[in-house]
């Protein structure tokens, strides 16, 4: 199948995207479903990419699909190529649309007053909003999917400019029948042996912050169940398998089988405005002013 070496091939980004999908799912069928294409068509696309590269990238096995040695080399390069293409598209559109800005926000945070004020001050502008996951903040900004994001620290801040808007206390979330439920406050000593959920594959700083790990005396925080999302975390807490540390503002509308106890001896959570470092766009600057005036606590 591999062709003799020759001039560098012209890569079709659609083929590269298809390859990364199969590499992610480790299964042609699941990748085809995610891409919403027929599996035979996807297989043909991967063969076409392999012919262009002159290398086999994937091997089918009884348990699914695995990367060949060449595939292992190509995957991070393919991922970087797709990201660069997305950035090129986003930056070009941004240059062509100077009157458009996208503001991202995490769950349980409110940006409506600042967004409405920005629209009032700049009626000619198109102001879009987008909801982001806690681990989407940095990628969304660096990939130009958002121009400003209101979020809670911590998250990776390399290449970003971050301004604290306000702070709010961290609290303890426990089941309503927990021994600490109804207390005026609790300390880290009160939960010294209580398991705390761990988010699967997050930035390690994020896990450490929300588990208060290590504790002020240097001891590690107890282990806890691995979870994928906030809903999973709260389910484990409700089942009595763990307690959780959360920002006070994130507990609004908490499920009825859980309750909140103020937590003493921990620094507060910081709500911030993040933008790309060096971005001096007039709408980004204008939104930063609106956020500082209207979202600051």
């Amino acid at each position: 199948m591999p062709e003799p070496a020759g001039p560098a091939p012209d890569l079709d980004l659609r083929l590269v995207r298809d390859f990364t999908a199969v590499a992610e799912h480790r299964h042609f069928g699941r990748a085809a479903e995610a891409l919403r294409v027929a599996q035979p068509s996807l297989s043909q696309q991967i063969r076409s990419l392999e012919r262009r590269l002159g290398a086999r990238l994937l091997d089918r096995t009884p348990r699914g699909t695995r990367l060949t040695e060449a595939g292992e080399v190509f995957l991070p390069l393919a991922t970087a190529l797709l990201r660069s293409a997305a950035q090129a598209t986003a930056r070009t559109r941004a240059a062509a649309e100077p009157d458009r800005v996208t503001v991202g926000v995490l769950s349980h945070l409110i940006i409506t007053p600042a967004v409405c004020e920005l629209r009032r001050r700049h009626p000619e502008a198109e102001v879009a909003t987008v909801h982001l996951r806690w681990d989407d903040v940095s990628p969304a900004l660096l990939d130009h999917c958002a121009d400003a994001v209101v979020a809670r620290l911590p998250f990776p801040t390399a290449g970003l400019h971050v301004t604290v808007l306000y702070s709010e206390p961290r609290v303890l979330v426990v089941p309503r029948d927990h021994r600490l439920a109804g207390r005026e406050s609790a300390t880290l000593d009160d939960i010294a042996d209580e398991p705390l959920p761990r988010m699967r594959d997050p930035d390690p700083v994020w896990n450490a912050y929300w588990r208060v790990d290590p504790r002020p005396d240097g001891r590690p925080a107890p282990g806890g169940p691995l979870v994928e999302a906030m809903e999973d975390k709260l389910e484990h807490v409700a089942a009595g398998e763990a307690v959780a540390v959360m920002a006070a503002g994130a507990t609004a509308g908490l499920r009825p089988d859980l309750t909140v106890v103020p937590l003493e001896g921990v620094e507060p959570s910081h709500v911030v405005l993040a933008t790309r470092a060096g971005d001096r766009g007039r709408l980004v600057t204008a939104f930063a002013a609106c956020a500082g005036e209207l979202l600051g606590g």
Side-chain angles (χ1 to χ4, degrees):
M1 178 180 60
E3 297 177 347
D10 293 328
L11 290 182
D12 185 331
L13 291 180
R14 291 174 299 176
L15 302 183
V16 177
R17 179 206 60 182
D18 292 345
F19 162 74
T20 59
V22 178
E24 175 187 354
H25 291 279
R26 293 294 198 271
H27 193 279
F28 271 85
R30 289 193 291 269
E33 184 177 351
L35 292 169
R36 298 188 177 182
V37 299
Q39 185 172 333
S41 175
L42 178 59
S43 297
Q44 183 178 355
Q45 296 283 71
I46 296 300
R47 286 195 296 270
S48 176
L49 177 62
E50 290 175 326
R51 284 194 297 270
R52 293 190 184 199
L53 292 172
R56 191 176 72 257
L57 302 174
L58 297 160
D59 281 335
R60 293 178 184 264
T61 73
R63 295 184 177 181
T65 303
R66 68 176 182 85
L67 291 168
T68 64
E69 185 174 347
E72 294 281 3
V73 171
F74 184 61
L75 179 57
L77 300 174
T79 303
L81 178 62
L82 292 174
R83 171 166 287 188
S84 295
Q87 290 177 340
T89 301
R91 292 181 183 183
T92 302
R93 287 176 177 171
E97 300 174 354
D99 291 333
R100 188 178 193 280
V101 66
T102 299
V103 181
V105 63
L106 271 61
S107 296
H108 304 292
L109 294 176
I110 296 175
I111 59 172
T112 308
V115 169
C116 289
E117 179 62 14
L118 180 64
R119 288 172 175 154
R120 187 190 70 78
R121 295 181 186 181
H122 295 274
E124 80 290 351
E126 179 184 349
V127 182
T129 59
V130 60
H131 176 266
L132 300 173
R133 279 173 44 94
W134 58 269
D135 54 349
D136 285 340
V137 177
S138 182
L141 286 166
L142 296 178
D143 290 347
H144 288 248
C145 297
D147 303 298
V149 176
V150 175
R152 285 189 179 88
L153 290 173
F155 53 82
T157 59
L160 305 181
H161 176 72
V162 175
T163 303
V164 175
L165 295 173
Y166 62 93
S167 299
E168 57 186 16
R170 283 186 282 176
V171 298
L172 187 66
V173 179
V174 298
R176 286 198 171 273
D177 59 357
H178 192 273
R179 59 186 174 82
L180 297 176
R183 289 265 296 267
E184 290 186 4
S185 65
T187 67
L188 292 175
D189 287 339
D190 292 323
I191 58 169
D193 300 317
E194 294 271 7
L196 288 94
R198 296 168 292 158
M199 279 290 188
R200 191 184 302 274
D201 298 328
D203 179 84
V205 176
W206 194 95
N207 249 346
Y209 182 82
W210 290 109
R211 287 169 40 80
V212 196
D213 185 18
R215 298 297 162 80
D217 60 5
R219 289 182 299 168
L226 285 172
V227 298
E228 299 281 355
M230 181 62 67
E231 291 75 15
D232 301 328
K233 175 189 287 191
L234 296 181
E235 182 61 35
H236 282 289
V237 174
E241 299 169 353
V243 299
V245 176
M246 296 176 59
T251 61
L254 198 64
R255 47 189 288 175
D257 51 357
L258 300 177
T259 189
V260 170
V261 181
L263 186 59
E264 296 182 351
V266 296
E267 65 176 278
S269 167
H270 302 296
V271 176
V272 302
L273 172 67
T275 59
R276 287 180 293 277
D279 189 340
R280 299 293 183 267
R282 68 183 186 92
L283 292 178
V284 171
T285 301
F287 179 76
C290 294
E293 295 168 14
L294 300 172
L295 305 183

